[in-house]
Every structure is written in structure tokens, then in C-alpha cells.
């Protein structure tokens, strides 16, 4: 059974490493590990859990952000349609962690700054 490593990167630079089982979402794995990742609907409709993929597999091994957006669709399977994200947001690397199952090791920026970048956030 292959697990993938998801590294969650918070705005203050802190990171949490989570081993995600093959049929598990990133949110479920984080909660199992006691990591308080924000969520609400858990159905892909609200963006509360959104993250932005900043590295996949061997990309950016030093943890620095890639200059090019990373297509999150290449790194995740979704349990259901991610209704809260536009195609453009998905192409820019945004991913709904409550319904996303990783297909590769990945590094994901999370937190209120990322949440403010998508959807109908009043903080934009
Ligand atoms: S918790 Fe609502 S989209 Fe993930």
C-alpha cells in the first residue's frame, strides 16, 4: 500500500508532514495526525480547506515556491467534483483538501492567505 507524503506549509513557515493512505483525503490524514486544518462542508463546495500546491514529487526540493503554477489535477484525484474552484483556479494549483487524494508526494501552502486568494472571499 503506497502512501504519499503531503507537506503542509503554513504562513509562518512552519510545516506539518502527513502520510496519506491511498484512499484517504489530505484533510482526513491531517485530522488523523492531530493537525488542525480548517474545514467546513467537506464536500468541495466552500473553499475553507483550500490549499495551493507548490511542489509535486521531486519539484522544488529546497521547498521554495515554483515560479510556474502547478496543475493540481496532475497530483490529485478528487472524490467528487470540486465545485468551489474554477477551472482556472485548479490550473493555478489550488486544491480542495477535503476531497483530494494525492497521487504523488506534494507540498501544499495552507492557511488564511491561501483561502483569501480564491472563491468569493471577502478578503480579496
Ligand atoms: S471543507 Fe468545504 S471545500 Fe473543503
Amino acid at each position: 500500500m503506497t502512501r504519499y507524503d503531503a507537506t503542509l506549509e503554513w504562513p509562518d513557515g512552519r510545516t506539518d508532514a502527513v502520510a496519506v493512505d491511498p484512499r484517504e483525503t489530505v484533510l482526513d490524514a491531517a485530522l488523523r495526525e492531530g493537525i488542525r486544518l480548517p474545514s467546513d462542508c467537506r464536500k468541495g463546495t466552500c473553499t475553507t480547506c483550500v490549499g495551493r500546491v507548490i511542489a509535486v514529487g521531486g519539484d522544488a526540493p529546497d521547498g521554495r515556491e515554483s515560479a510556474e503554477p502547478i496543475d493540481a489535477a496532475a497530483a490529485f484525484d478528487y472524490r467528487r467534483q470540486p465545485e468551489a474552484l474554477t477551472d482556472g483556479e485548479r490550473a493555478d494549483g489550488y486544491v480542495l483538501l477535503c476531497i483530494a487524494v494525492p497521487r504523488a508526494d506534494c507540498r501544499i501552502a495552507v492557511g488564511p492567505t491561501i483561502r483569501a486568494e480564491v472563491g468569493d472571499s471577502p478578503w480579496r
Side-chain angles (χ1 to χ4, degrees):
M1 190 162 74
T2 303
R3 285 178 149 193
Y4 292 111
D5 293 325
T7 301
L8 306 178
E9 187 172 301
W10 298 89
D12 63 1
R14 180 173 47 95
T15 60
D16 288 308
V18 182
V20 187
D21 288 336
R23 288 182 295 276
E24 191 175 37
T25 67
V26 176
L27 176 65
D28 288 341
L31 295 177
R32 174 173 46 74
E33 296 293 325
I35 298 165
R36 297 181 60 196
L37 193 60
S39 65
D40 187 4
C41 71
R42 298 191 183 194
K43 296 179 182 175
T45 60
C46 76
T47 73
T48 302
C49 66
V50 72
R52 183 166 50 82
V53 180
I54 53 179
V56 175
D59 290 350
D62 59 358
R64 287 185 303 142
E65 191 168 328
S66 171
E68 293 294 320
I70 294 172
D71 184 357
F76 294 92
D77 286 328
Y78 273 120
R79 282 190 171 169
R80 60 176 67 200
Q81 188 66 23
E83 295 176 21
L85 293 180
T86 66
D87 289 344
E89 288 167 339
R90 290 184 66 187
D92 285 343
Y94 294 99
V95 60
L96 299 177
L97 301 176
C98 67
I99 56 171
V101 178
R103 297 190 313 204
D105 294 343
C106 53
R107 189 175 188 92
I108 307 163
V110 295
T113 306
I114 303 301
R115 168 63 182 89
E117 293 173 357
V118 299
D120 59 355
S121 170
W123 302 106
R124 290 202 283 183

